[in-house]
Amino acid sequence: MGDLATGMRYLGQGQKWVLRNGRWFGFGLLPALVTLVLYAAALAALALWAGDLVVWATPFADDWDSPWPGLLRGALTALLFAGGLLLAVLTFTAVTLLVGDPFYESLSEKVEESVGGVAEGPDIPLLRSLWISLRDSLYVLTRALVLAVPLFALGFVPVLGQTVVPVLGLAVSGFFLTLELTSVAMQRRAIPVRERLRMLRGRKALALGFGGPLVLSFLVPLAAVFLMPGAVAGAALLVRDLADGDSPTDGGDDGGAGGHGGASGAGGGGPRPEGHPG
């Protein structure tokens, strides 16, 4: 329970940090708003044309007696849209981080500066950094889908789908959401995605304490947009604990350095790598 509470504390500290530093909250809000508009347009298009797509994909049902073609196509249309929603939930954070890579890199660095210094990392050009982020996000998404798709199917099983499956789904989503959000600070430390996965597996309760409440809050319309800046800030604090062995208790009010010791093992007090945007 200790790690679970610690993960929740980092999430709360991240939200408090961006609220104290309003300029950075607005700065981190832009990528999430852009991603929201893109996803809303994609889901609206799916809702509009899902029925036509299902009819095109099931020509064999044209000769069936009524009402079977309608029942089949209605069920497939609902499944198609539900699958689109599941994919949107699983990928929203990854796409937002990719769209806002320069924004969130700067935000993450500022948070670390406020609690003792930014970890040193390799000098990586912007395009190379974006490619690494995309590659790592696809790796994480593939791993998440391996677990999410069977859970999605089991959700239609009576009793099991309304009790055990939602809890497992929350745990899986929370874990992988934490993995995505910590990628900003982890990549700055040149920690490969497979190593990040191993580190979080060793601290599952910490990951669930951070990501679980976020998953639940994302069920509220627009909550994901407004919580993203604080989630990135909190993830930066979590990484200092997970990767550096540092345990900051709070961020500075003004975004300046001070309050805590530098990150150990990663050059915590070093300068920001010049290859990163921001």
Side-chain angles (χ1 to χ4, degrees), residues 62-155:
D62 289 342
D63 298 327
W64 291 4
D65 294 332
S66 180
W68 301 114
L71 291 175
L72 172 68
R73 287 166 173 165
L76 290 178
T77 300
L79 282 174
L80 179 61
F81 188 75
L85 282 175
L86 175 64
L87 189 62
V89 170
L90 289 174
T91 60
F92 180 85
T93 299
V95 173
T96 301
L97 291 174
L98 189 63
V99 169
D101 185 80
F103 295 86
Y104 292 131
E105 176 64 26
S106 297
L107 170 60
S108 179
E109 288 183 0
K110 197 67 177 178
V111 171
E112 290 209 53
E113 284 179 6
S114 74
V115 293
V118 181
E120 291 184 4
D123 185 5
I124 303 176
L126 175 59
L127 290 180
R128 173 65 177 168
S129 177
L130 290 173
W131 164 246
I132 292 173
S133 297
L134 176 60
R135 183 194 63 193
D136 291 352
S137 293
L138 289 175
Y139 175 85
V140 173
L141 177 61
T142 301
R143 289 300 190 96
L145 285 174
V146 167
L147 297 174
V149 171
L151 287 174
F152 177 73
L154 288 173

Side-chain angles (χ1 to χ4, degrees), residues 22-42:
R23 182 174 66 89
W24 287 97
F25 175 73
F27 192 63
L29 205 62
L30 293 176
L33 287 172
V34 171
T35 306
L36 176 67
V37 171
L38 293 175
Y39 270 62

Side-chain angles (χ1 to χ4, degrees), residues 61-275:
D62 289 342
D63 298 327
W64 291 4
D65 294 332
S66 180
W68 301 114
L71 291 175
L72 172 68
R73 287 166 173 165
L76 290 178
T77 300
L79 282 174
L80 179 61
F81 188 75
L85 282 175
L86 175 64
L87 189 62
V89 170
L90 289 174
T91 60
F92 180 85
T93 299
V95 173
T96 301
L97 291 174
L98 189 63
V99 169
D101 185 80
F103 295 86
Y104 292 131
E105 176 64 26
S106 297
L107 170 60
S108 179
E109 288 183 0
K110 197 67 177 178
V111 171
E112 290 209 53
E113 284 179 6
S114 74
V115 293
V118 181
E120 291 184 4
D123 185 5
I124 303 176
L126 175 59
L127 290 180
R128 173 65 177 168
S129 177
L130 290 173
W131 164 246
I132 292 173
S133 297
L134 176 60
R135 183 194 63 193
D136 291 352
S137 293
L138 289 175
Y139 175 85
V140 173
L141 177 61
T142 301
R143 289 300 190 96
L145 285 174
V146 167
L147 297 174
V149 171
L151 287 174
F152 177 73
L154 288 173
F156 295 95
V157 178
V159 182
L160 182 67
Q162 291 74 50
T163 54
V164 177
V165 172
V167 176
L168 292 177
L170 173 65
V172 169
S173 300
F175 179 87
F176 283 103
L177 181 58
T178 302
L179 182 60
E180 282 286 1
L181 288 166
T182 55
S183 66
V184 179
M186 290 284 199
Q187 186 176 324
R188 186 162 58 248
R189 289 163 170 79
I191 300 175
V193 64
R194 289 175 176 81
E195 177 64 12
R196 301 171 208 164
L197 182 59
R198 185 197 65 78
M199 293 167 68
L200 283 174
R201 279 175 174 168
R203 302 280 298 277
K204 289 187 181 72
L206 181 68
L208 294 178
F210 186 86
L214 273 176
V215 172
L216 290 175
S217 65
F218 283 6
L219 298 176
V220 180
L222 299 181
V225 174
F226 291 99
L227 293 178
M228 271 299 293
V232 172
L237 299 174
L238 186 149
V239 169
R240 292 177 70 89
D241 180 350
L242 188 67
D244 304 339
D246 192 20
S247 298
T249 57
D250 203 352
D253 291 350
D254 58 359
H260 297 277
S264 61
R272 178 172 61 86
E274 294 179 1

